[in-house]
Amino acid sequence: MRRALSLFALLLLWEALAALGLVNPLYAPPPHQVLLTLWDLFATGEVWPHLQATFTAALLGLFWGILLGGALGLLAAFSPFFSDLLEPVMLLLNAIPRVILAPLFVIWLGIGLASKVALSLVLVVVLIFFAVYGGVKEVDPRLLERVRTLGGGRYWLLREVYLPSLTAWVLSSLKVAVGFAFTGAVVGEFVAASRGLGYLLSFAQSTYNARLSLALVALVVLFVLLLFHLFGRLEARLLRWRPKAQGGF
């Protein structure tokens, strides 16, 4: 509630400064003009094909990034050979700003959907790889020994030990993964595309249209926050078994 009130107060201040002529509307148009621009985008139907393109690229990149990152993380966690093979590559990809790969993906895959999905996938796969890899490696060896002592085999180890640990690690990374997926899609469209929110942002930049730029940024932020909320609900539901931290001493 306090965050919403702070945001509302900031928007009111921005509107007041613009009304007093203290802010140049060419560079920082007041919030009501940004809202009118958003309304026009939806009222004319112009934004729908671009929304579809961005969402398709982001969600496909998120889906395949989670699957591939999870599979590679499990391979590296349970196999020393794959760990030696994959961990240096993932560390290298994690150390560089991966969005610089966008022009290469455009050259290799063209300006269509594939290059945007590839960039989103690369951004997500590294994050999920380390979440899964860390989730397995952080399991307490003493807990594993106790389960084995009680007669638990691989199935029980996976179900009762590894799966809860992995669930906690992966779900805690999903919100960041959503942001990465949309970053990949929008940046890929910004570099080269024929449609998408990134394409519209590139058009707005080339025409010095600050109102359209802010409207598109606000649109992306709203959708990402909505997905954050949904994944937060999912995390709370799936991790309701985890004891909550107690305040005080």
Side-chain angles (χ1 to χ4, degrees), residues 14 17-18 21-30 33 210 214:
W14 183 0
L17 291 174
L22 299 177
V23 174
N24 189 338
L26 180 64
Y27 301 112
Q33 291 187 8
L214 286 171

Side-chain angles (χ1 to χ4, degrees), residues 151-172:
R154 291 184 178 180
Y155 171 76
W156 285 102
L157 284 173
L158 180 63
R159 177 183 168 181
E160 302 296 336
V161 180
Y162 287 118
L163 191 57
S165 176
L166 287 175
T167 302
W169 279 71
V170 172
L171 286 177
S172 65

Side-chain angles (χ1 to χ4, degrees), residues 213-231:
S213 295
L214 286 171
L216 292 170
V217 169
L219 188 59
V220 172
V221 169
L222 285 173
F223 279 116
V224 170
L225 287 177
L226 175 61
L227 289 174
F228 273 18
H229 174 71
L230 293 177
F231 278 115

Side-chain angles (χ1 to χ4, degrees), residues 117-172:
V117 173
L119 185 58
S120 293
L121 185 149
V122 168
L123 291 175
V124 172
V125 76
V126 176
L127 177 69
I128 299 301
F129 171 86
F130 283 112
V132 172
Y133 185 72
V136 173
K137 291 297 184 182
E138 288 298 316
V139 170
D140 191 343
R142 293 172 297 180
L143 182 58
L144 297 175
E145 281 300 319
R146 287 170 187 162
V147 174
R148 291 192 183 103
T149 301
L150 293 172
R154 291 184 178 180
Y155 171 76
W156 285 102
L157 284 173
L158 180 63
R159 177 183 168 181
E160 302 296 336
V161 180
Y162 287 118
L163 191 57
S165 176
L166 287 175
T167 302
W169 279 71
V170 172
L171 286 177
S172 65

Side-chain angles (χ1 to χ4, degrees), residues 65-81:
I66 291 172
L67 285 185
L68 184 59
L72 294 178
L74 287 173
L75 277 175
F78 289 110
S79 168
F81 171 77

